[in-house]
Amino acid sequence: HIAGVVGLYRERRDAMHAGLRAMLPPTASVTRPAGGMFCWVTLGDTTDTAPLLDIAVRGGVAFAPGWSFFPGTPDRSTMRLSFVTNPPDTIAEGLRRLDAVLANRP
């Protein structure tokens, strides 16, 4: 099974990673995972992604706020985004929606 999905996941990871790097502000960083199913974004500013999730869902896109993955004091400007479920064109649309949410954040 792994041999059958590795190329597919690589294509999707690369589409999400490239799209995120193109849209994120200069303060942000994004991982390019060597394995797994998620890109990790750190906005690197004072944004709290927990309340931002509600706005994103209303905008037709979702992510996991990163704070819940920290064992200690969390960086609340983080989010985890899955790339395995959707093809590159759907990922691009999701990132377009996320970009709109980030551009209009409070």
Side-chain angles (χ1 to χ4, degrees):
H1 175 72
I2 293 171
V5 298
V6 71
L8 181 69
Y9 287 4
R10 181 181 301 118
E11 176 186 37
R12 293 172 179 190
R13 177 210 56 201
D14 291 349
M16 180 170 281
H17 183 261
L20 284 166
R21 289 188 41 100
M23 65 168 262
L24 289 172
T27 59
S29 63
V30 60
T31 62
R32 185 176 181 274
M37 303 180 291
F38 305 96
C39 286
W40 185 266
V41 172
T42 302
L43 294 174
D45 59 19
T46 60
T47 302
D48 184 345
T49 60
L52 193 62
L53 178 58
D54 290 334
I55 299 165
V57 169
R58 287 192 303 269
V61 67
F63 58 85
W67 64 267
S68 62
F69 299 98
F70 282 76
T73 304
D75 179 345
R76 299 196 67 90
S77 78
T78 55
M79 62 180 89
R80 189 175 84 160
L81 296 103
S82 175
F83 54 80
V84 298
T85 306
N86 295 299
D89 59 332
T90 304
I91 289 171
E93 176 60 21
L95 293 179
R96 184 193 67 72
R97 294 175 186 188
L98 181 61
D99 190 33
V101 169
L102 292 175
N104 296 304
R105 66 183 169 228

